[in-house]
Amino acid sequence: MIIRTSVAALAFALAVPTAALAEEAAPQAAAAKPTAADAEAFVAAAEKEGFDYTVSASRVFWINSTYLTDDTNALAAEVGAKGTEMQVRFALEAAKYKDVPGLSEETRRKLDKLRGGIVLPAPTTEGAAAELNTIATELQSIYGKGKGTLDGKPVSGSDIEAAMGDVRDPAKLKEMWVSWHDNVGAPMKDDYARMVEIANQGARELGFKNVGAMWRGQYDMSADEFAALTEKLWQQVKPLYDDLHCYTRTKLNEKYGDAVQPKTGPIRADLLGNMWAQEWGNIYDVVAPAGAGDIGYDVTELLKAKNYDPLKMVKGGEGFFSSLGFSPLPETFWQRSQFVKPQDREVVCHASAWDIDNKDDIRIKMCIKVNADDFTTIHHELGHNYYQRAYNKQDPLHLDGANDGFHEAIGDMVALSITPDYLVEIGLLDKAKVPGADKDLGLLLRQGMDKLAFLPFGLLVDRWRWGVFDGSIKPADYNDAWTALRLQYQGIVPPAERPADAFDPGAKYHIPGNTPYTRYFLARILQFQFYKAACDIAGWKGPLHRCSFYGNKEVGNRLNAMLEMGASKPWPDALEAFTGTREMDGTALVEYFAPLQTWLKEQNKGKQCGW
């Protein structure tokens, strides 16, 4: 999964200056009751100060991510500490205005965002912000420098991820899985527990029960209502996942035998082609049945046959957005982005999209390999960049997606349109080789191995963190609770007994990176809702999974109308602008995969499904 970094994200989900504003208030004003005019003046000044801070902060964080050293770590920690201290003071100030009568709806929304939009709030205790940021920076550095082993030899993060998708020897898969989780996750545990303690103190100072409640409160509804919404969406799509799990387990059992993968119960985590078993598309060759599973082409092979390199892959992604009527990417994008892993230094390879100055300095940071997964990821990343550009005329506090799931869904919606017809359009696939309808099950199974397989993982990461933040999961139980949730939601188990000091959550980037994760679950739902809306606008009449809206300017116009709203309105308003409905809903995803579900149920007859 991917993160984006923008001026808005840095200013109002990381740090916003407040000290000067507080100091400028006249002594008599401090004693007077605040007014709506005071609140508006405060918000306006906050937006300006926050915007100015983030331009330089963005550059520091970019350098740290693309040039990992002790010095850049120290600089990032220093800038982050300064920002967090300012942001907390700002949030405390914003809390004073939340009950002021006569506030406009816009001012109230901005105050709520200032008060509750902090990812890791530091308490006002002296030194707390510095300690919090030092820990957060160190956790990310441990991950960025982390290595597992294969055949006893050290393997870096991006390389071991790729190897997990290619290797089929269960002993080697187990070695990679165990070594990565032991080497990367375990060293973080004590620091992570301390970080949780500090951040929870900060959340309580802002009037929240804990950090998890604060995260859940950022969706134009209460924290409890949001938790209920995610559960409702999960129940809509869970039957699809259960059918896929049952079928996949059978195929793994056929390949590896009972000693490695039993016919019943959970699936061994390292056999699914992904370090975290979050997407299973890499083992499509294992599960594809003769006659029904062949999709007729391989995107990785097509890219290599057409001599695509990383730059040409990015150009291809840009071409999709250009076909919808969006302006070309700026020249600085090509000059300043990181497309491949440098040979001379450590970098954070985890893909991300950046908006440095909220004007036109947009970038991506990747370690691109010429394969189908990275081709899809490029489309995803560019979705962030085009979203950032579309709303760049909004007020600083509105420089963000309608909610964080929206930001993740845009590029994925476009990636769903990477159909055979689209591949023909861009010259990757010969028109004579476009698979017929008889190949649809293969296409859907390949998509489902990623899209459906991800759903429970997208939910459980924050379910675990919510428990950590509210104290129901104690530090001594961190790993056991993580393993239990993975069994409950995903139906998977580790390939080996985990030691008492294990911290397997830390082996997933978004845990040490402190990136809220429910956004990715929402994005999996929203991308299909957006995709169906785009196909309806384009007048598509065939099966939903065959639709490509490449080249449709009306789709581009309607999409841009939603994107340019940014976070200026509640997310149901933005959803309605593009889809015509105000409800997040999983039925488009169910419709997309309906033919696959019918087929899976046939394959699973007589099997003992569930775990």
Side-chain angles (χ1 to χ4, degrees), residues 1-3 143 157 161-162 164-165 177 180-181 234 241 244-245 248 252 267-283 350-351 373-374 376-377 380-381 408 412 445-462 465 482 485-487 489-493 504-512 515-521 523-524 527-528 589 593:
M1 293 300 86
I2 321 301
I3 60 170
Y143 189 93
E161 285 183 40
M164 286 292 291
W177 193 99
W180 179 260
H181 284 76
W234 168 236
Y241 178 80
L244 181 67
H245 180 282
T248 302
L252 289 170
I267 296 174
R268 204 177 102 170
D270 59 328
L271 303 179
L272 290 162
N274 176 273
M275 183 62 76
W276 310 279
Q278 68 181 55
E279 291 172 325
W280 306 347
N282 286 329
I283 62 160
H350 191 87
D373 284 349
D374 280 4
T376 298
T377 297
H380 176 105
E381 292 304 328
E408 298 301 329
D412 281 345
L445 181 58
R446 180 62 183 82
Q447 280 278 41
M449 293 294 285
D450 283 341
K451 303 292 187 181
L452 298 178
F454 177 79
L455 292 166
F457 188 78
L459 204 62
L460 75 85
V461 173
D462 278 351
R465 277 193 289 209
W482 174 260
L485 282 169
R486 299 198 74 187
L487 176 61
Y489 281 97
Q490 289 183 283
I492 68 165
V493 289
D504 293 346
K508 175 61 182 170
Y509 171 81
H510 300 74
I511 299 296
T515 304
Y517 208 77
T518 305
R519 62 183 60 171
Y520 302 111
F521 173 77
R524 279 296 196 274
Q527 66 183 265
F528 287 94
L589 183 149
F593 287 109

Side-chain angles (χ1 to χ4, degrees), residues 17-18 21 37-47 89-95 97 111 114:
T18 63
L21 296 175
D38 294 333
E40 290 171 5
F42 164 74
V43 167
E47 288 192 297
R89 289 197 301 271
F90 224 177
L92 290 168
E93 184 73 11
Y97 295 101
L111 287 169
L114 285 169

